């Protein structure tokens, strides 16, 4: 089998998610842990039931602390390299659910510094502009303004910088090279950057001057940053941040990760709903070459981007998704029907989201913190 690569800056090849757990040294979310979560949330989010959030670090500890009355803080982030697409929304929607169910605070980091350093074409103004665009999408998802703070690293740096320095002092160049694959050509800002992504893990502990547990919902490609954070935490006197990892949102071209660099294979939150519809009607499916053949042998939902979209995001009803699966494999339905079903849902979602996104412009200052 072809090797796959997953780092925070590169995702390549066909990803074996179980293998990734071994590679990274994380733990699968098992039934016992799901039960523990369900005890507090009353129900399980579809993303947990379907094992899209499937891996973790120290999540049992987070639940134990919570049960003792020691509430955790959520931390997640976004690298503002362009407009938000549905793949970005997925972990945020889950984060919102966690905030609501556990009634906890959220720290949201926008890494305008990271994307500036990483992308030779971006100015700091570009990544600032995208930060504020992305913030609208975050706010539109309905986070609690009383319990949520969003910041750009370049605008909220005082307290973060002190923490980042303490982290940076503990990380050697050889560790950074081994974890991220940095080369001699890598600019030195990139090498320092991981300590900025670590900073919010310890932010609340610093502010409250006590050990505050932190839970980070994120896509699994971000784990390498936090592996380092966890390694250095004890020597800095902080608790290790816990993580809950998700798989990548599918691309409309088939394959694993929705890529911002191929706009026709992703749905952006700012897409004209009719255009989004067009993208879906042209998406890669698991259909056969002809109607006759499909009726005879059925389609292949396992490789179908339309099915994956429904499974990940747009069909929360477990019965219905099962029915669709068997209707596809038995040849009872054709790709056109599934495309239309999904397109209707995506169109409706975008219309709603875009309304909330407009309203978010007025709420922005309630969420953003600066020095
Ligand atoms: N590096 C992340 C990205 O490129 C952004 C980010 C910063 C982040 N802090 C995070 C993502 C915490 C998940 C959790 O998108």
């Amino acid at each position: 089998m072809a090797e796959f690569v997953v780092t925070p800056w590169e995702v390549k090849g066909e990803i074996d998610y179980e293998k990734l757990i071994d590679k990274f040294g994380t733990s699968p979310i098992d039934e016992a842990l799901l039960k523990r979560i369900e005890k507090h949330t009353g129900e399980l989010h579809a993303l947990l039931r379907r094992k899209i959030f499937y891996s973790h670090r120290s999540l049992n500890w987070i639940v134990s602390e919570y049960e003792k009355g020691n509430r955790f803080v959520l931390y997640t982030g976004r690298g503002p390299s362009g407009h938000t697409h549905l793949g970005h929304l997925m972990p945020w929607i889950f984060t919102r659910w966690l905030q609501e169910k556990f009634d906890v605070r959220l720290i949201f980091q926008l890494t305008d510094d990271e994307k500036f350093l990483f992308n030779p074409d971006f100015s700091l103004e570009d990544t600032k502009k995208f930060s504020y665009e992305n913030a609208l999408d975050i706010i539109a998802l309905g986070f609690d303004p009383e319990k949520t703070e969003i910041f750009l690293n370049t605008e909220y740096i005082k307290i973060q910088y002190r923490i980042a320095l303490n982290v940076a002092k503990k990380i050697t160049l050889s560790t950074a090279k081994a974890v991220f694959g940095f080369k001699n050509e890598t600019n030195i800002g990139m090498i320092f950057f991981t300590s900025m992504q670590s900073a919010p893990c310890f932010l609340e502990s610093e502010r409250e001057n006590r050990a505050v547990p932190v839970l980070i919902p994120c896509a699994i490609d971000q784990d390498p940053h936090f592996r380092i954070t966890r390694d250095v935490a004890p020597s800095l006197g902080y608790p290790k941040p816990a993580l809950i990892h998700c798989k990548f949102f599918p691309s409309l071209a088939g394959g694993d990760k929705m890529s911002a660099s191929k706009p026709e294979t992703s749905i952006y939150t700012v897409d004209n709903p009719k255009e989004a519809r067009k993208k879906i009607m042209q998406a890669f499916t698991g259909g056969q070459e002809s109607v006759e053949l499909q009726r005879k042998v059925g389609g292949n939902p396992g490789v179908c981007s339309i099915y994956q979209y429904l499974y990940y995001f747009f069909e929360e009803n477990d019965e219905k998704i099962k029915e669709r699966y068997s209707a596809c494999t038995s040849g009872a339905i054709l790709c056109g029907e599934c495309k239309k079903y999904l397109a209707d849902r995506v169109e409706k979602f975008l219309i709603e989201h875009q309304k909330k996104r407009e309203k978010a412009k007025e709420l922005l200052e309630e969420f953003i913190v600066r020095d």
Side-chain angles (χ1 to χ4, degrees):
M1 207 186 95
E3 259 308 297
F4 59 92
V5 177
V6 176
T7 77
W9 295 292
E10 185 183 24
V11 176
K12 209 171 61 184
E14 195 174 322
I15 298 159
D16 180 332
Y17 285 104
E18 302 315 313
K19 253 203 199 145
L20 205 49
I21 283 188
D22 289 341
K23 248 191 184 171
F24 282 2
T26 67
S27 307
I29 299 178
D30 59 17
E31 291 309 311
L33 182 49
L34 285 178
K35 285 244 157 59
R36 284 194 79 187
I37 296 169
E38 195 174 8
K39 228 179 88 196
H40 298 288
T41 57
E43 55 173 8
L44 286 177
H45 197 282
L47 291 168
L48 280 173
R49 292 200 307 272
R50 295 187 187 169
K51 308 233 179 289
I52 292 160
F53 270 89
Y54 82 114
S55 150
H56 77 101
R57 290 183 191 268
S58 297
L59 188 50
N60 272 301
W61 170 72
I62 285 284
V63 179
S64 297
E65 287 302 303
Y66 182 81
E67 287 170 353
K68 285 187 236 160
N70 189 15
R71 245 187 219 164
F72 56 91
V73 169
L74 290 163
Y75 159 43
T76 194
R78 151 85 177 142
S81 55
H83 276 297
T84 308
H85 60 55
L86 296 180
H88 303 125
L89 290 189
M90 183 180 72
W92 305 347
I93 286 171
F94 183 68
T95 302
R96 211 223 86 153
W97 180 81
L98 288 173
Q99 175 175 69
E100 186 184 315
K101 295 294 173 183
F102 288 96
D103 188 23
V104 288
R105 302 206 16 245
L106 165 67
I107 296 172
F108 203 113
Q109 180 184 53
L110 291 162
T111 56
D112 58 336
D113 50 352
E114 173 191 16
K115 294 299 156 177
F116 164 71
L117 289 166
F118 182 73
N119 193 321
D121 299 329
F122 286 161
S123 67
L124 278 168
E125 284 66 40
D126 293 333
T127 57
K128 179 175 177 161
K129 194 187 90 204
F130 279 127
S131 297
Y132 279 95
E133 288 290 332
N134 297 160
L136 297 178
D137 292 303
I138 298 160
I139 294 166
L141 296 179
F143 288 101
D144 180 347
E146 301 286 316
K147 296 200 171 71
T148 305
E149 59 187 310
I150 305 173
F151 51 77
L152 281 64
N153 279 350
T154 58
E155 295 185 348
Y156 189 68
I157 187 62
K158 271 192 190 159
I159 183 167
Q160 286 207 92
Y161 192 51
R162 294 181 66 87
I163 302 170
L165 285 174
N166 277 296
V167 172
K169 201 172 180 177
K170 301 275 178 195
I171 307 171
T172 64
L173 181 56
S174 55
T175 297
K177 276 183 169 170
V179 174
F180 300 112
F182 291 146
K183 305 267 172 5
N184 278 352
E185 299 74 47
T186 306
N187 73 58
I188 60 173
M190 289 287 292
I191 295 161
F192 175 76
F193 169 74
T194 191
S195 46
M196 284 303 300
Q197 186 149 331
S198 282
C201 299
F202 308 139
L203 192 56
E204 202 50 33
S205 291
E206 269 306 299
R207 285 171 178 158
E208 294 187 31
N209 198 21
R210 67 178 181 95
V212 179
V214 168
L215 174 62
I216 308 170
C218 63
I220 186 119
D221 64 332
Q222 296 299 309
D223 185 73
H225 284 295
F226 301 119
R227 211 149 65 217
I228 296 184
T229 316
R230 287 168 56 88
D231 282 347
V232 306
S235 70
L236 294 173
Y238 300 118
K240 294 183 180 191
L243 292 119
I244 181 164
H245 307 106
C246 65
K247 301 173 182 171
F248 303 119
F249 198 73
S251 149
L252 285 174
D256 273 312
K257 193 185 180 191
M258 198 185 233
S259 168
S261 55
K262 294 193 207 110
E264 68 287 358
T265 64
S266 315
I267 308 278
Y268 293 87
T269 61
V270 295
D271 276 353
N272 174 318
K274 290 274 177 263
E275 244 154 60
R277 185 171 195 98
K278 238 187 262 161
K279 290 183 187 177
I280 290 164
M281 297 314 281
Q282 289 162 3
F284 177 80
T285 70
Q288 304 295 344
E289 276 155 40
S290 68
V291 172
E292 293 73 41
L293 193 59
Q294 181 139 350
R295 291 281 184 217
K296 205 167 132 205
V297 302
N300 183 359
V303 301
C304 177
S305 72
I306 302 291
Y307 179 79
Q308 298 301 318
Y309 257 60
L310 290 168
Y311 188 82
Y312 272 66
F313 205 105
F314 287 102
E315 180 60 88
E316 280 201 24
N317 184 310
D318 289 344
E319 277 308 307
K320 282 196 180 161
I321 195 79
K322 254 194 228 147
E323 276 166 24
R324 186 166 297 273
Y325 189 93
S326 34
C328 172
T329 53
S330 72
I333 48 170
L334 299 175
C335 299
E337 298 171 52
C338 286
K339 282 179 170 173
K340 188 173 172 311
Y341 183 80
L342 176 65
D344 288 346
R345 299 200 147 206
V346 169
E347 220 182 306
K348 194 164 156 244
F349 174 84
L350 285 180
I351 291 168
E352 286 296 308
H353 183 81
Q354 286 169 6
K355 272 190 215 150
K356 294 182 199 149
R357 203 178 180 279
E358 267 312 298
K359 281 210 189 107
K361 291 180 181 165
E362 288 153 37
L363 302 173
L364 194 63
E365 290 303 313
E366 283 182 51
F367 285 87
I368 299 274
V369 294
R370 302 184 185 87
D371 281 329

